[in-house]
Amino acid sequence: MGFREHAACVRRIVGIVLAVLLIGGVAVAVVAGRDSKDTSTATKTVRGVIGSEKAEFFADPDVVKALAAKGFTVKAETSGSWAMDQLPLKDYDFAFPGSKAPADELQRKSSVKGGPIRPFYSPLVVVAHRGAAQVLADNGLATLSGKSSGKLLMAPYLKAAKADRTWQQLKGAGKHAELTGTVFITSTDPVASNSGALYLAAASYVADGGRVAADEAAIDRTAPLLKKLIQVQGAQQTSSDAPFRDFISGVGNPLVLVYESQVASLLLQKQDLGDLVVLYPDTTVSSDHTLVPLTDSGRQFGELLSTDRRLRELAVRHGFRPQGAAAEFTAATAGHTDYIDQQLTGIRQAPVPTATVLRAMARRTRG
């Protein structure tokens, strides 16, 4: 399957979603075209591979228009961040995974001068329904700062996971018929997906007493726990989008690991989130969306994403936090502080192991 441009009488070029099987996950092609009403001319087409969490950003007509005004048309395909280095990237201008570790691997394959570019980031959070969040709080696994936000206490949570605690063993869970079985967080496949891999990074850091895994011995110390965290979930998605949408629609597991940007984006679109509660892990990892230029055109495009005021504004509208511009995100989310912790108060950022170590951790969860 491919993309066809409609005849000249058609007013808008739209992105057509294509299901293409890639290594480590399903890729979706998103084509950024130009509204025919726009008098600017897109003079340069850049092709890239992106994490799926950025697909809606690149498909946004306002983003398309802003890029065209600066002389760019973008053709992007999505892939799991940790599968990108296994793709044939010869004809790509950039790769845009969801964090620094896979970007560092990709950078080693690039001959373009200069390092990776980090236009924006988003911390990992856990979304819960209000009943589940209250039960966690009543049992010392979380704290609540209101009806719609709080903190997940990682050390107590990991202790409960290690002991295979069930919802039925938690006081107050009996009032909620949907809370049954083992208490666990739904995450994505850590072998292929960025958020799943970063979940392991944070969990291993906490479980190993605040140490960053650096060798096989460190992996050995936390491997049994990490294996439990993953295998209790059964089949996993390669994108955080599907489990988040399931959660919003009222199905699936009561605790789901997502990006803060996914929640913030819905809030900024004025969507009703029902009884959703955002739990910020007290030790978490921020997903630094990191663009690796593979050509000079890719570098020009990455620098534009980082510096153009309109594109930064649109990144915020999609829930991302621009690097070095906290005020932009703070202003946009000022009406949603019941959900969003703008300053990430009291939240510790766990360092992320190297890509080699994190890949080894992910593989051990399977064996």
Side-chain angles (χ1 to χ4, degrees), residues 41-347:
T41 301
T43 60
K44 186 177 297 183
T45 297
V46 289
R47 183 183 178 205
V49 58
I50 62 174
S52 59
E53 68 285 337
K54 294 181 283 289
E56 288 189 5
F57 171 76
F58 281 105
D60 184 336
D62 288 336
V63 173
V64 171
K65 185 176 180 180
L67 288 168
K70 296 295 183 178
F72 280 94
T73 294
V74 179
K75 294 185 178 180
E77 300 170 2
T78 71
S79 166
S81 293
W82 291 86
M84 288 182 186
D85 69 327
Q86 299 175 55
L87 301 177
L89 297 175
K90 179 181 178 181
D91 297 324
Y92 288 80
D93 295 291
F94 67 91
F96 202 174
S99 63
K100 181 179 181 296
D104 287 344
E105 284 200 345
L106 291 162
Q107 180 64 34
R108 285 192 283 271
K109 298 182 178 181
S110 175
S111 60
V112 178
K113 293 182 180 180
I117 300 166
R118 300 180 182 88
F120 41 74
Y121 68 101
S122 183
L124 288 171
V125 299
V126 174
V127 291
H129 294 295
R130 190 164 296 130
Q134 188 63 58
V135 170
L136 292 179
D138 290 343
N139 287 269
L141 303 181
T143 60
L144 299 180
S145 53
K147 288 185 177 180
S148 301
S149 66
K151 288 187 175 67
L152 178 73
L153 306 180
M154 283 293 286
Y157 166 71
L158 293 176
K159 183 178 179 180
K162 185 175 182 180
D164 299 315
R165 290 186 75 179
T166 65
W167 287 104
Q168 292 92 324
Q169 293 173 325
L170 301 182
K171 65 181 180 181
K175 300 176 183 177
H176 307 278
E178 73 279 9
L179 299 180
T180 61
T182 304
V183 178
F184 69 91
I185 295 169
T186 292
S187 65
T188 53
D189 180 359
V191 174
S193 171
N194 182 62
S195 59
L198 295 183
Y199 179 41
L200 296 187
S204 67
Y205 180 77
V206 173
D208 204 21
R211 289 180 287 184
V212 184
D215 52 29
E216 194 68 26
I219 296 173
D220 288 342
R221 287 195 294 271
T222 60
L225 174 59
L226 300 187
K227 184 175 180 179
K228 278 193 174 187
L229 296 178
I230 299 305
Q231 295 202 349
V232 70
Q233 300 181 45
Q236 290 180 290
Q237 302 278 352
T238 58
S239 164
S240 61
D241 183 62
F244 182 57
R245 291 189 182 279
D246 285 346
F247 178 90
I248 292 296
S249 64
V251 299
N253 192 47
L255 303 175
V256 180
L257 184 79
V258 302
Y259 296 105
E260 178 196 60
S261 60
Q262 291 172 282
V263 178
S265 177
L266 293 185
L267 290 169
L268 293 171
Q269 295 171 35
K270 303 187 184 306
Q271 293 196 27
D272 182 7
L273 300 188
D275 69 345
L276 180 147
V277 176
V278 182
L279 297 176
Y280 287 80
D282 60 358
T283 302
T284 190
V285 177
S286 282
S287 179
D288 289 316
H289 297 283
T290 306
L291 187 146
V292 179
L294 303 175
T295 65
D296 290 338
S297 293
R299 172 160 292 284
Q300 292 170 19
F301 168 68
E303 291 173 349
L304 180 67
L305 280 182
S306 293
T307 60
D308 184 78
R309 182 175 179 179
R310 176 59 175 160
L311 288 169
R312 289 166 68 89
E313 176 185 295
L314 291 169
V316 170
R317 193 169 80 181
H318 283 269
F320 299 111
R321 296 175 180 243
Q323 291 283 4
E328 295 175 12
F329 183 83
T330 299
T333 59
H336 305 291
T337 54
D338 48 342
Y339 290 95
I340 302 297
D341 185 341
Q342 295 177 317
Q343 306 304 321
L344 302 178
T345 308
I347 295 171

